[in-house]
């Protein structure tokens, strides 16, 4: 049975991701100084930004998560092709933005049907990492499946040792936080990541927040480990600017998993796109109950972005 506590943390992680994406999108690609000049401190869910979003609208980061999660729960067991088709359907729906490496990977699949791209320097972006939450939620009781499915879905678009390391480390942090292991267990995972790949060192914080997986994670981890509540963590992260929707999404996952869904400020969650909120609630329940062995599952096809866009 899924405990209320786990469900609250899982909802916190998934809604936290979407809130961080929507909050950060307002200042994506801006510098900290530009943000300060325009907003003082950016802390309101107001939309806008280079994508001219509505308040509470999310971007590719949340949408790819929903596509991947929808692909996982739309049929029986693990099926990377079903996930690839869900991501391809999302791309065909002309989303407001798509990362270049994600677009390249999905186009490759549409051209030749291959489910894994070749190792490439392009692969060190953050796109595969930010969409991995559904895999984490679905494999909490199965570490082997967690590692396999994480790398398989990541290599669909991103194939680089640093992206692999960062995506797995974030996943291990989330697995611990969702099961109540707390702050220090997550900090230990981060320390191991830095020991194995010193590029990721975030103390002292280098102050860059680009889409390079190293800088994205450094920013999310710096603010996550140096704040003690959801709001301060997210405000700190998004005011670093640059890839602010994605750093916001990663920090939102971590903070939501640690502090729980009740910790997300009402002023933010109440403005989040209601359709996205509904899909997240439905996916959290389905993913926590996901069974990796092929068993008949309930018909959850309506949870896919694919059918929503039809
Ligand atoms: Mn985005
Ligand atoms: Mn971004």
């Amino acid at each position: 049975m899924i405990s209320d506590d786990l469900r609250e943390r899982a909802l916190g992680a998934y809604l936290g991701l979407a809130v961080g994406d929507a909050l950060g999108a307002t200042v994506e690609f801006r510098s900290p100084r530009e943000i300060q000049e325009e907003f003082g401190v950016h802390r309101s869910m107001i939309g806008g930004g280079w994508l001219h979003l509505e308040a509470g609208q999310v971007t590719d980061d949340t949408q790819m998560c929903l596509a991947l999660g929808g692909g996982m729960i739309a049929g029986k067991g693990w099926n990377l092709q079903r996930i690839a088709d869900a991501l391809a359907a999302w791309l065909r729906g002309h989303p407001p933005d798509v990362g270049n490496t994600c677009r390249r990977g999905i186009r490759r699949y549409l051209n030749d049907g291959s489910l894994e791209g070749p190792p490439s320097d392009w692969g060190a972006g953050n796109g595969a990492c930010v969409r991995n939450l559904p895999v984490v939620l679905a494999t909490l009781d199965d570490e082997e499946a967690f590692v396999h499915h994480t790398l398989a879905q990541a290599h669909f678009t991103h194939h680089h040792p640093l992206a692999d390391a960062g995506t797995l480390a974030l996943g291990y942090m989330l697995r611990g936080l969702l099961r109540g292991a707390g702050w220090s267990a997550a900090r230990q995972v981060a320390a191991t990541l830095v020991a194995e790949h010193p590029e990721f060192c975030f103390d002292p914080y280098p102050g860059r927040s680009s889409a390079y997986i190293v800088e994205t994670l450094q920013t999310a981890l710096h603010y996550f480990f140096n704040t003690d509540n959801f709001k301060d963590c997210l405000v700190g992260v998004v005011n670093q600017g640059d890839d602010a929707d994605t750093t916001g999404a990663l920090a939102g996952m971590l903070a939501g998993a640690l502090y729980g869904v009740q910790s997300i400020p009402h002023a933010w969650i109440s403005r989040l796109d209601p359709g996205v909120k509904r899909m997240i609630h439905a996916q959290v329940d389905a993913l926590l109950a996901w069974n990796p062995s092929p068993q008949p599952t309930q018909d959850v096809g309506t949870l896919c972005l694919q059918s929503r866009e039809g």
Side-chain angles (χ1 to χ4, degrees):
M1 258 349 271
I2 296 152
S3 73
D4 289 349
D5 195 46
L6 170 59
R7 191 164 177 279
E8 171 142 331
R9 291 179 187 282
L11 270 176
Y14 214 147
L15 289 168
L17 174 160
V19 161
D21 181 10
L23 187 73
T26 304
V27 292
E28 191 182 20
F29 302 133
R30 310 287 293 277
S31 72
R33 187 180 168 162
E34 287 171 331
I35 296 168
Q36 205 213 338
E37 279 168 4
E38 183 168 345
F39 300 97
V41 176
H42 170 53
R43 56 171 87 241
S44 300
M45 188 75 91
I46 51 173
W50 72 281
L51 292 168
H52 307 288
L53 300 167
E54 307 275 321
Q57 200 181 341
V58 298
T59 76
D60 55 342
D61 305 83
T62 305
Q63 290 177 343
M64 279 198 301
C65 242
L66 290 169
L68 191 152
M72 284 186 78
I73 60 190
K76 298 172 190 171
W78 175 252
N79 184 330
L80 186 55
Q81 181 152 5
R82 204 169 57 229
I83 289 167
D85 287 337
L87 288 166
W90 165 73
L91 184 65
R92 275 197 300 267
H94 303 290
D97 65 329
V98 188
N100 288 331
T101 309
C102 293
R103 184 195 303 273
R104 194 176 296 118
I106 296 169
R107 287 236 174 104
R108 183 208 67 245
Y109 168 68
L110 291 171
N111 284 332
D112 67 12
S114 62
L115 291 167
E116 178 171 319
S120 148
D121 285 347
W122 294 110
N126 57 24
C129 180
V130 73
R131 68 168 183 249
N132 197 48
L133 181 62
V135 169
V136 174
L137 294 176
T139 58
L140 281 176
D141 295 326
D142 187 343
E143 183 179 351
E144 204 178 315
F146 156 69
V147 172
H148 170 270
H149 300 351
T150 293
L151 294 177
Q153 79 79 12
H155 292 177
F156 179 57
T157 53
H158 290 64
H159 201 159
H160 190 284
L162 289 176
D164 289 353
T167 305
L168 284 172
L170 181 81
Y172 274 113
M173 284 180 228
L174 290 166
R175 283 167 65 84
L177 292 170
L178 290 164
R179 291 186 294 198
W183 187 96
S184 42
R187 189 67 187 77
Q188 189 53 53
V189 174
T192 303
L193 172 68
V194 172
E196 289 175 357
H197 301 277
E199 294 93 333
F200 284 99
C201 179
F202 58 94
D203 182 16
Y205 173 53
R208 289 183 297 272
S209 51
S210 74
Y212 175 37
I213 183 69
V214 168
E215 296 182 357
T216 307
L217 261 179
Q218 283 172 327
T219 298
L221 296 179
H222 168 71
Y223 285 101
F224 175 64
F225 288 120
N226 287 287
T227 51
D228 62 4
N229 64 83
F230 187 93
K231 185 176 183 181
D232 290 350
C233 175
L234 271 284
V235 169
V237 163
V238 299
N239 281 277
Q240 281 291 324
D242 204 349
D243 199 5
D245 61 331
T246 311
T247 56
L250 292 195
M253 274 185 246
L254 290 166
L258 177 59
Y259 304 119
V261 68
Q262 305 298 338
S263 72
I264 302 175
H266 180 74
W268 292 347
I269 197 99
S270 63
R271 285 206 163 179
L272 190 64
D273 181 329
V276 167
K277 254 189 283 197
R278 262 197 310 279
M279 288 171 72
I280 287 174
H281 274 267
Q283 284 202 2
V284 163
D285 287 336
L287 289 165
L288 289 176
W290 194 75
N291 189 332
S293 57
Q295 303 260 331
T297 54
Q298 64 180 122
D299 177 21
V300 284
T302 50
L303 303 182
C304 292
L305 273 173
Q306 191 172 351
S307 43
R308 183 167 156 259
E309 285 167 359

